[in-house]
Amino acid sequence: PDIKYYDITQDYLNQFSAEDYNKIKTRINKSMLEKVENSTLKSNAKNRLISELQKIYILTNTLGWTLTYNNEEFGAAREMQELKL
């Protein structure tokens, strides 16, 4: 979550200020984004999306419906492999 700290009650054991917490949060968010970019998470998610759309396509085709995603109508399940996300 995007939380900004403004006032933190400090005592002897807690020497962090609100600014310290915000700096830590910013550093962690940057680190997580870099790790996601360097991982296979996005390509795995795309493959999962295409897999699920193919299942939905089979279901809709069986019922005589058409599958439309981002204003693009699909006539065959293999057309989803070229899907632009």
Side-chain angles (χ1 to χ4, degrees):
D2 191 20
I3 299 172
K4 292 184 180 169
Y5 297 95
Y6 295 102
D7 184 28
I8 302 293
T9 304
Q10 295 185 20
D11 59 16
Y12 183 73
L13 297 175
N14 183 11
Q15 298 296 319
F16 287 104
S17 68
E19 185 179 316
D20 294 330
Y21 282 112
N22 288 328
K23 286 179 184 177
I24 292 169
K25 181 185 67 79
T26 301
R27 186 181 305 157
I28 289 172
N29 285 344
K30 182 179 177 184
S31 173
M32 286 178 60
L33 287 175
E34 288 174 2
K35 288 180 181 183
V36 167
E37 291 295 326
N38 294 331
S39 73
T40 59
L41 190 62
K42 284 187 175 183
S43 63
N44 290 346
K46 180 182 178 184
N47 291 337
R48 178 69 187 266
L49 172 64
I50 290 171
S51 172
E52 296 303 321
L53 283 174
Q54 287 173 338
K55 291 175 187 174
I56 293 171
Y57 170 77
I58 292 169
L59 176 65
T60 56
N61 197 29
T62 303
L63 297 172
W65 300 345
T66 56
L67 176 63
T68 304
Y69 178 76
N70 283 343
N71 295 324
E72 186 177 345
E73 203 169 285
F74 294 99
R78 68 179 170 276
E79 290 178 7
M80 292 179 203
Q81 294 297 331
E82 296 130 20
L83 185 65
K84 301 279 189 281
L85 300 177

